[in-house]
Amino acid sequence: MQQFSNGVAVITGGGSGLGKAFSMYAAARGMKIVLADVQQDALDATVSELRASGAQAIGVRTDVSNAADVQALADAAMSTYEKVNLLFNNAGVTAGGVVWENTEKDWNWLLGVNLHGVIHGLRIFTPLMLKSAASDPDYEGHIVNTASMAGLLAGVASGIYSVSKHAVLALSEALFQDLNLVSEQVHCSVLCPSYVPTGIGSSERNRPDSLSSNTPLTPSQRVAKELSQDAIVNGPVSANRVAEITFEAIEKQRFYIYTHPDTLLAVRNRFDHIVDQQNPPLSFEGNPSRSARRTRLLDALQQPA
Ligand SMILES: NC(=O)c1ccc[n+]([C@@H]2O[C@H](COP(=O)([O-])OP(=O)(O)OC[C@H]3O[C@@H](n4cnc5c(N)ncnc54)[C@H](O)[C@@H]3O)[C@@H](O)[C@H]2O)c1
């Protein structure tokens, strides 16, 4: 995509973190913004900030796990701005702990937002974008799905999140193949960041009561939460930098977007093990800080639940 000015960007999870950074970056490039978030106050605050900066922006309260909400988001985007050029399927939440301890409600919440949110986005917006492409030879469209390095690595005590992000990666690769069949005007990318300081560590703030497990965290879940919160707060790359790298990739039609290239060594190692039929490499081996994390998890697993 080369022409951003006067284009329309739809961003889910736009009230905070990466989504907010995408919206600011897109607005600075002259795009009109359709911001979606389940958290009304964060949505309103970001829309006000965008407008104060001179951007045209609307906010649509959206729970991305709900197909009707995503349809209403698309309807609002089309009735207000008549097209969508950039779609960020970005809203996401996190949870952790050893994988057999996650409840059915944990799975429904996490897969609902992280996976079904992206599915609804693709299913509802891609046909609209292809239709715009078919009727205007100058139309350009691009879809960015936010996965994670957890879409390429399955670490310890983070299985539920890794599963959701592996699915987003597979879905994005499938979208890439399928778009390639039908259009040279609509492209897609998958964004795979490692830790970035954002609000993701407190995802529970937006967990609906109907999907609350109503049970205290298990020791492994408690430690996994503390460890991931620590890593997020100390994330070495800012949300603004992620936005900059992402827009560069959109411009260059790059599918895989990496923001923490040092983590790719572990990905290469994982795939070498897969191809060589070796057992998965243990994520703490040769890494002192990961070894310390493992020790804390082992200690937690010794505690009574
Ligand atoms: N921060 C990181 O370290 C990191 C690393 C890799 C991937 N990611 C991914 O980046 C994306 C953005 O997360 P973030 O780090 O900016 O976190 P964040 O919590 O700052 O922002 C996520 C936004 O999504 C919204 N949201 C939550 N549930 C929703 C729902 N059901 N419908 C609509 N909106 C919803 C939240 O209100 C919030 O505004 C997520 O997909 C996350 O998995 C984050």
Side-chain angles (χ1 to χ4, degrees):
M1 187 168 165
Q2 301 299 315
Q3 179 65 35
F4 292 92
S5 186
N6 285 318
V8 179
V10 175
I11 301 153
T12 71
S16 171
L18 300 187
K20 181 172 177 180
F22 294 144
S23 74
M24 295 295 165
Y25 206 88
R29 301 200 67 169
M31 299 193 84
K32 299 164 190 165
I33 310 295
V34 180
L35 205 74
D37 206 288
V38 77
Q39 192 180 326
Q40 187 76 55
D41 60 343
L43 178 66
D44 293 345
T46 306
V47 169
S48 299
E49 229 179 289
L50 285 162
R51 288 181 180 158
S53 75
Q56 289 187 53
I58 59 165
V60 184
R61 191 197 170 274
T62 309
D63 175 352
V64 294
S65 69
N66 180 318
D69 275 19
V70 180
Q71 183 63 58
L73 172 67
D75 293 347
M78 294 304 283
S79 66
T80 311
Y81 296 128
E82 293 172 359
K83 62 174 181 172
V84 173
N85 299 92
L86 245 183
L87 168 66
F88 290 90
N89 285 312
N90 167 76
V93 292
T94 191
V98 288
V99 76
W100 57 88
E101 288 180 352
N102 293 120
T103 63
E104 189 180 3
K105 285 182 173 173
D106 290 339
W107 284 102
N108 286 341
W109 176 50
L110 220 97
L111 294 181
V113 181
N114 292 8
L115 176 57
H116 286 273
V118 180
I119 293 171
H120 296 323
L122 298 190
R123 195 172 52 71
I124 291 167
F125 281 90
T126 313
L128 299 176
M129 296 170 86
L130 289 172
K131 198 168 164 199
S132 296
S135 63
D136 175 3
D138 293 328
Y139 171 88
E140 295 179 294
H142 202 110
I143 299 169
V144 179
N145 296 328
T146 303
S148 166
M149 285 310 289
L152 289 155
L153 294 167
V156 68
S158 54
I160 187 168
Y161 185 70
S162 285
V163 167
S164 73
K165 295 300 186 177
H166 273 65
V168 171
L169 186 87
L171 183 59
S172 304
E173 288 187 353
L175 177 69
F176 177 87
Q177 300 288 347
D178 292 352
L179 280 176
N180 194 264
L181 283 175
V182 296
S183 179
E184 290 182 359
Q185 290 166 261
V186 183
H187 300 275
C188 66
S189 301
V190 65
L191 170 63
C192 300
S194 184
Y195 294 111
V196 181
T198 66
I200 190 102
S202 55
S203 301
E204 292 274 339
R205 70 190 184 280
N206 290 312
R207 184 166 174 158
D209 289 344
S210 59
L211 291 178
S212 168
S213 280
N214 289 324
T215 49
L217 295 180
T218 66
S220 89
Q221 289 168 351
R222 213 165 38 240
V223 172
K225 189 173 161 71
E226 285 164 19
L227 290 172
S228 82
Q229 180 60 6
D230 191 47
I232 291 161
V233 169
N234 293 302
V237 178
S238 70
N240 287 341
R241 178 67 188 133
V242 173
E244 199 173 66
I245 293 169
T246 303
F247 273 80
E248 226 174 81
I250 294 167
E251 240 172 325
K252 294 187 174 149
Q253 266 179 43
R254 208 181 311 125
F255 177 75
Y256 296 106
I257 311 177
Y258 301 125
T259 54
H260 299 61
D262 48 328
T263 48
L264 289 170
L265 275 179
V267 176
R268 190 181 296 280
N269 189 32
R270 178 198 181 190
F271 280 93
D272 283 347
H273 280 66
I274 291 174
V275 173
D276 295 342
Q277 280 187 282
Q278 291 175 25
N279 290 351
L282 292 169
S283 60
F284 60 90
E285 274 172 355
N287 182 323
S289 76
R290 290 232 173 90
S291 289
R293 289 162 65 106
R294 181 173 193 262
T295 307
R296 282 192 55 195
L297 278 162
L298 282 173
D299 288 348
L301 287 167
Q302 310 295 318
Q303 295 165 26

